[in-house]
């Protein structure tokens, strides 16, 4: 029988989030500075290296994969990469987190290649504020991308909004109300502190309780679903008679570490064991030095065994090595 990836706390790790590139076509204020410097391409996983690592992870029982970045859709050959991963034996759940800018034309080929679902990040429905948050983005492009994804059947669609005080905290009700007429999950993500943008994130975080209070005051209260049990990482709510749901991902104030089943593979081939801890294991260097699949499996299993329990934000331990775009969210 093949080994499974267990950590020393008994958590089974079978969900891999892969960052396909550290680069992005936007510059969201909570994610990266406008003058972000990216890694040279040769330091990142090449297609064949990615293929080898995906196969190794799948053989270790990883079956759920999410592609992210940076912006995954700007990776060269993205459609071929999706097809390669979708066809890897053992992969049965393949999704992507994207800013949606390029989805208008890519939704159809990506879906045909095997991408089942997408999460699109959209923090406001106001075009001016959208530009202020993303610095470079156009809301029209993203909206067309969401519609294209829905048309080709990449459902249920999930929209992710990071709420930033002073930027889009006034937009939460309008975003939540999208769930009334659409069978979508609108998810509010608490901003997390990383590297260079840590101070900014800590000063401008908006908690889920504040968001719910605001929605109740401006529209109507949300009703808690499933007794508060998590759906993945989100706690779900619904407006009475709404088609969709509203989710809250409160990584900072209500961590869900006990049920964590995930690991991350960064674009430079590093196994990141916890989003908010700097503990990492290099996989690309051994792969380039000739490690076999069995060698890589041993390195991965040993890394997973030492996966940290959870984040240390309350003790002021902030991840400093990378910002979100270099890890993949
Ligand atoms: N570019 C894609 C996108 O924006 O969806 C994928 C990568 S992005 C790093 C993944 C997710 O992380 C996005 O939903 C983004 O809003 C979120 N994110 C980025 N920086 C964050 C931060 N400091 N705190 C919380 N979420 C963050
Ligand atoms: Fe790019 Fe996504 Fe980061 Fe925005 S959140 S800068 S879209 S990687």
């Amino acid at each position: 029988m093949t080994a499974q990836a267990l950590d020393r706390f008994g958590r089974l790790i079978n969900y891999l989030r892969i960052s396909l590139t550290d680069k992005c076509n936007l510059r969201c204020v909570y994610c990266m500075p406008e003058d972000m410097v990216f890694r040279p391409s040769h330091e990142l996983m090449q297609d064949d290296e990615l293929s080898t690592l995906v196969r190794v992870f799948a053989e270790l029982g990883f079956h759920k994969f999410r592609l992210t970045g940076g912006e995954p859709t700007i990776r060269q050959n993205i459609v071929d990469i999706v097809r390669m991963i979708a066809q890897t034996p053992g992969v049965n759940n393949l999704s992507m987190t994207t800013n949606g800018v390029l989805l208008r034309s890519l939704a159809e080929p990506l879906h045909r290649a095997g991408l089942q679902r997408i999460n699109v990040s959209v923090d406001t429905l106001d075009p001016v504020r959208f530009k202020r948050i993303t610095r470079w983005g156009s809301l029209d492009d993203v909206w067309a991308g969401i519609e294209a994804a829905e048309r080709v059947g990449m459902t249920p669609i999930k929209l992710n909004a990071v709420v930033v005080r002073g930027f889009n905290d006034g937009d939460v009700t309008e975003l939540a109300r999208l769930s009334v007429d659409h069978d979508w999950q609108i998810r509010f993500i608490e901003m997390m502190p990383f590297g260079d943008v840590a101070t900014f994130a800590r000063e401008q975080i908006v908690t889920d309780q504040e968001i719910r209070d605001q929605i109740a005051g401006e529209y109507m209260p949300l009703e808690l679903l499933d007794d508060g049990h998590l759906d993945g990482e989100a706690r779900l709510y619904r407006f009475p008679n709404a088609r969709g749901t509203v989710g809250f991902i409160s990584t900072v104030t209500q961590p869900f570490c006990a049920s964590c089943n995930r690991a991350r593979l960064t674009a430079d081939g590093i196994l990141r064991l916890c989003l908010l801890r700097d503990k990492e294991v290099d996989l690309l260097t051994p792969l380039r030095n000739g490690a076999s699949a069995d060698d890589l499996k041993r390195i991965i299993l040993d890394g997973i065994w030492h996966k940290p329990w959870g984040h240390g934000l309350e003790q002021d331990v902030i991840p400093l090595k990378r910002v979100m775009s270099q890890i993949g969210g």
Side-chain angles (χ1 to χ4, degrees), residues 185-217:
Q185 191 179 109
I186 314 299
R187 300 157 17 126
F188 295 108
I189 303 178
E190 260 178 12
M191 190 168 35
M192 292 171 267
F194 287 95
D196 289 351
V197 289
T199 317
F200 173 81
R202 279 154 83 83
E203 284 168 358
Q204 283 162 280
I205 191 169
V206 183
T207 65
D208 60 342
Q209 189 57 51
E210 280 181 81
I211 296 172
R212 277 194 301 279
D213 288 347
Q214 186 171 332
I215 292 171

Side-chain angles (χ1 to χ4, degrees), residues 24 30-31 68-72 97-99 121 160 162 189-192 194 324-325 328-329:
C24 189
Y30 46 72
C31 184
T68 173
E71 175 46 38
T97 300
T98 167
N99 62 30
S121 302
N160 288 344
V162 175
I189 303 178
E190 260 178 12
M191 190 168 35
M192 292 171 267
F194 287 95
M324 192 71 143
S325 63

Side-chain angles (χ1 to χ4, degrees), residues 20-26 70-78 98-99 102 106:
L20 292 180
T21 172
D22 59 342
K23 302 177 186 58
C24 189
N25 44 2
L26 301 183
E71 175 46 38
T73 58
I74 64 170
R75 166 113 188 196
Q76 266 199 336
N77 305 333
I78 180 64
T98 167
N99 62 30
L102 298 175
L106 277 177

Side-chain angles (χ1 to χ4, degrees), residues 76-139:
Q76 266 199 336
N77 305 333
I78 180 64
V79 175
D80 295 333
I81 288 174
V82 164
R83 186 176 304 107
M84 174 275 288
I85 297 176
Q87 290 177 354
T88 303
V91 176
N92 61 21
N93 187 322
L94 181 58
S95 59
M96 177 184 281
T97 300
T98 167
N99 62 30
V101 169
L102 298 175
L103 268 188
R104 189 196 315 240
S105 57
L106 277 177
E108 210 255 334
L110 285 175
H111 189 48
R112 256 195 295 120
L115 189 68
Q116 293 159 311
R117 288 184 302 100
I118 49 146
N119 291 7
V120 183
S121 302
V122 53
D123 300 325
T124 171
L125 300 180
D126 177 88
V128 175
R129 279 195 292 282
F130 184 84
K131 171 130 287 162
R132 200 171 151 228
I133 291 180
T134 61
R135 295 197 183 101
W136 295 358
S138 145
L139 185 61

Side-chain angles (χ1 to χ4, degrees), residues 130-196:
F130 184 84
K131 171 130 287 162
R132 200 171 151 228
I133 291 180
T134 61
R135 295 197 183 101
W136 295 358
S138 145
L139 185 61
D140 285 347
D141 291 339
V142 177
W143 199 254
I146 295 168
E147 288 178 338
E150 188 163 49
R151 220 171 20 250
V152 301
M154 284 201 277
T155 52
I157 295 209
K158 296 183 182 174
L159 302 189
N160 288 344
V162 175
V163 186
V164 189
R165 197 176 303 287
F167 280 82
N168 64 338
D169 46 340
D171 297 315
V172 294
T173 305
E174 202 185 356
L175 282 165
R177 284 183 65 165
L178 287 172
S179 70
V180 174
D181 294 326
H182 300 275
D183 186 13
W184 297 345
Q185 191 179 109
I186 314 299
R187 300 157 17 126
F188 295 108
I189 303 178
E190 260 178 12
M191 190 168 35
M192 292 171 267
F194 287 95
D196 289 351

Side-chain angles (χ1 to χ4, degrees), residues 193-196 198 272 276-278 317-323 326:
F194 287 95
D196 289 351
R272 173 112 179 170
L276 289 158
R277 294 270 186 188
D278 280 334
V317 182
I318 289 170
L320 295 173
K321 270 194 189 165
R322 296 164 187 267
V323 291
Q326 295 164 318

